[in-house]
Amino acid sequence: MNTNVDSSQVRDINLSPPEPKSEAEIIAHWQESYTVPLVSIVCITYNHEPYIRDTLNGFLMQKTDYPFEVLIHDDASVDNTADIIRDYEQRYPNIIKPIYQTENQYSKGIKISPTFNFPRAQGDYIALCEGDDFWTCSDKLNRQVSFLRTNPKIFLSIHRAHICMDNQITDVSTSHGESETVLPSKLVYTTAGQFCPTASMVIAREKVAVMPEFFDKVPIGDFFLEAITAIGGVHYLPEACSVYRVGSRGSWTNRVVSDDEKFFKKSEKMLMSLKELEAYLQPRNSQYVHHKATAIHLNLANRYLQQGNFEKYKENWFASFKHMRRPQRTDIRLFLGLLRIRF
């Protein structure tokens, strides 16, 4: 991820959330007019024993005058993750609502949140955070939800994140500017790399209450969530309000990106899923899907070149041009950016 932040200035910052207040103290701030949670915090976890306390403490430190619930799904962890969650469940029975699997569901190809968490969410808004990431700002949830409540035609709110590697803050995620704003949905497709950190996403539940059928087969759920919920624009906070761990146990980086065979399979599935996404979105909202297909083909070409597979390299290189519809300035900048050429 590209950033202008001097990583040496943030390397030794301790961003771990404080020990949370008791459940009674948290609930005391909630208005009595609410009968169900306004926000459902959705968390998936697997073998996150070293990190899950920070994750849960980040949820519990949120300052709101409305109730929230934490829907956490442990996917049959083989370490002590589930035991730590049980401890929090005992202390916060009205907030922490876990599912403990005895067999790993992800390995069966099941999409965890759409299958187990989204359907049981009571809130009008869903906030995402995986079990190896955590929130660092106690007002982040309130700021995002307040904007979405007053702007009902916007369905997604995001912010920046600190990047953590080997338990040290090394960077800050890609910036979309230094001011709070509404970003155009096109950026979901044209941003080189990750558009936004998963732990930054707050979504209007109405957009994910009924997911398209093809979503069960998509290889990277975050991108398709962004694409489906970004219609109308994306609310953006420039502050880094969470920590994103790179290369942690059970992380996407370790499971997929570093494995060539898995990377190739996921990329091919992405290309097939993009065709279904384009058909699902109205023409007015599907015009940018080709940007993502171009980027995937270029990434595949680069990976095959590293392997010395020149036939596959050429195949994906030329396929990247096929997806460009009358190359615009953004197409060219994306194309050159992926080749590590800078303006």
Side-chain angles (χ1 to χ4, degrees), residues 278-329:
E278 191 168 21
Y280 170 78
L281 297 173
Q282 297 178 5
R284 178 167 63 95
N285 299 312
S286 66
Q287 58 183 312
Y288 304 124
V289 176
H290 69 283
H291 289 284
K292 196 69 175 179
T294 296
I296 292 170
H297 277 298
L298 287 172
N299 282 329
L300 281 168
N302 183 54
R303 198 72 164 249
Y304 280 121
L305 182 62
Q306 292 175 4
Q307 282 196 341
N309 189 334
F310 295 106
E311 286 301 315
K312 282 289 187 179
Y313 162 73
K314 288 189 294 183
E315 176 187 324
N316 282 279
W317 173 264
F318 287 111
S320 69
F321 288 97
K322 181 181 70 174
H323 289 281
M324 289 188 183
R325 308 171 182 175
R326 276 193 188 179
Q328 304 292 320
R329 180 175 176 81

Side-chain angles (χ1 to χ4, degrees), residues 207 210-212 214 228 231 275-282:
K207 296 300 291 185
V210 180
M211 299 298 290
F214 73 86
I228 291 168
I231 297 171
K275 293 179 181 179
E276 295 187 90
L277 174 66
E278 191 168 21
Y280 170 78
L281 297 173
Q282 297 178 5

Side-chain angles (χ1 to χ4, degrees), residues 2 5 45 49 53 65 89 93 107 115 121 124 131-132 137 155 160 165 174 195 214 227 231 248 252 283-284 298 313:
N2 297 325
V5 175
T45 188
E49 179 183 349
R53 288 187 177 86
D65 61 2
E89 179 188 14
S107 62
T115 304
D124 291 338
D132 54 346
C137 303
F155 306 107
R160 300 180 75 188
M165 183 176 292
T174 303
F195 168 66
F214 73 86
I231 297 171
S248 61
W252 165 262
R284 178 167 63 95
L298 287 172
Y313 162 73

Side-chain angles (χ1 to χ4, degrees), residues 7 15 65 78 96 98 102 141 160 170 221 228-229 257 260 278 282 288-289 340:
S7 61
L15 296 172
D65 61 2
V78 296
I96 308 290
T102 56
L141 191 60
R160 300 180 75 188
T170 60
I228 291 168
T229 59
V257 176
D260 278 342
E278 191 168 21
Q282 297 178 5
Y288 304 124
V289 176
R340 303 183 187 281

Side-chain angles (χ1 to χ4, degrees), residues 126-158:
I126 291 177
L128 303 182
C129 184
E130 298 186 355
D132 54 346
D133 302 331
F134 62 93
W135 297 344
T136 59
C137 303
S138 61
D139 64 344
K140 90 118 202 168
L141 191 60
N142 200 45
R143 291 178 66 190
Q144 292 181 278
V145 170
S146 294
F147 181 90
L148 294 177
R149 294 180 78 181
T150 55
N151 295 272
K153 293 184 179 181
I154 305 293
F155 306 107
L156 173 63
S157 175
I158 66 170

Side-chain angles (χ1 to χ4, degrees), residues 39-68:
V39 179
S40 298
I41 301 170
V42 166
C43 179
I44 57 175
T45 188
Y46 175 71
N47 287 353
H48 288 151
E49 179 183 349
Y51 322 117
I52 192 64
R53 288 187 177 86
D54 279 345
T55 306
L56 293 172
N57 290 346
F59 300 156
L60 295 168
M61 77 172 181
Q62 294 303 304
K63 297 177 180 178
T64 70
D65 61 2
Y66 49 76
F68 58 83

